[in-house]
Amino acid sequence: RLLISGLTGSSPVSTVQSFEFPFRDSSTSAQVEIFHAAHGRNEDAAAIRAFIPLNIDGKPSLLAGYTCTPLVRFSLDDLQSGNKVRGTTVAELGNMNRPLDMIVYEKDGTSYLMVTNTARGVMKMKAADIAEQAEVTEKVDGGGTAGLPFEKVESLSGVVQLAKLNDQYGVILSETENKALKLSTIELP
């Protein structure tokens, strides 16, 4: 399936669409809602900025990053046509920030999620922690963080795109101080 996120309708509502591949005439479109911890309220007009499909606790899921930066999980089984699905906010990664890209990889037998952001750099989290993380349901003020624990990858800066090359290496596109783009291969941290 090909998954697409966006805002639809005359009053924008956040949606996730799914198209079968190879492409057919059928597709599904579900409205999505989140608890936005930096704003302290439920929202259905916030746009997903980056997402990755992955299995969480053995179930096909979508992990979505939003501006200001809640990280929200959705069950792919729930994202059916006509449904309005409230995701589970598993992390608040700090406001005044936008997720740019995400990858999942394994190192030394442990699966990790790596997220790059506009204002907070590259963050690394254990993928298994996502299933165990209690939902963030309280407002988070002052640019604070909550929920899923993370480690900031200090050795990576200016990263705007991530890709897994193989089991040991990734490819990053980073922006230099003079705004030039640099393509590099890195050992996955």
Side-chain angles (χ1 to χ4, degrees):
R1 292 192 287 172
L2 172 67
L3 299 173
I4 300 171
S5 69
L7 299 177
T8 61
S10 57
S11 61
V13 175
S14 188
T15 62
V16 174
Q17 292 183 294
S18 175
F19 296 89
E20 288 186 36
F21 187 83
F23 296 118
R24 300 187 179 136
D25 290 336
S26 65
S27 68
T28 62
S29 180
Q31 295 180 358
V32 292
E33 178 179 272
I34 65 166
F35 177 75
H36 202 296
H39 299 165
R41 65 177 182 256
N42 290 337
E43 296 181 0
D44 66 359
I48 295 172
R49 302 300 301 203
F51 68 83
I52 190 165
L54 72 155
N55 284 326
I56 299 174
D57 205 19
K59 298 173 187 150
S61 302
L62 182 76
L63 191 64
Y66 290 78
T67 298
C68 287
T69 316
L71 199 55
V72 182
R73 77 171 189 229
F74 296 93
S75 164
L76 283 180
D77 291 338
D78 292 342
L79 297 175
Q80 301 299 319
S81 277
N83 286 357
K84 183 168 189 177
V85 179
R86 186 172 184 276
T88 302
T89 302
V90 295
E92 170 56 53
L93 301 178
N95 70 1
M96 308 281 291
N97 191 23
R98 189 177 74 244
L100 297 171
D101 207 357
M102 301 180 197
I103 62 169
V104 173
Y105 65 95
E106 282 197 32
K107 185 164 186 151
D108 300 326
T110 302
S111 290
Y112 293 98
L113 168 72
M114 198 159 64
V115 180
T116 187
N117 300 278
T118 56
R120 308 247 191 281
V122 177
M123 299 172 170
K124 174 183 163 182
M125 300 147 222
K126 289 183 180 176
D129 290 348
I130 298 167
E132 299 167 6
Q133 179 59 52
E135 183 174 10
V136 176
T137 59
E138 300 292 324
K139 185 173 184 183
V140 178
D141 288 318
T145 63
L148 195 62
F150 64 87
E151 168 190 337
K152 186 168 180 189
V153 183
E154 298 290 347
S155 61
L156 299 175
S157 63
V159 177
V160 295
Q161 292 285 286
L162 302 162
K164 183 179 159 186
L165 180 62
N166 58 33
D167 291 339
Q168 291 182 309
Y169 294 95
V171 177
I172 61 169
L173 184 64
S174 56
E175 189 174 76
T176 64
E177 287 184 22
N178 64 358
K179 304 295 181 195
L181 292 174
K182 179 182 173 186
L183 186 65
S184 306
T185 303
I186 61 163
E187 185 171 352
L188 292 168

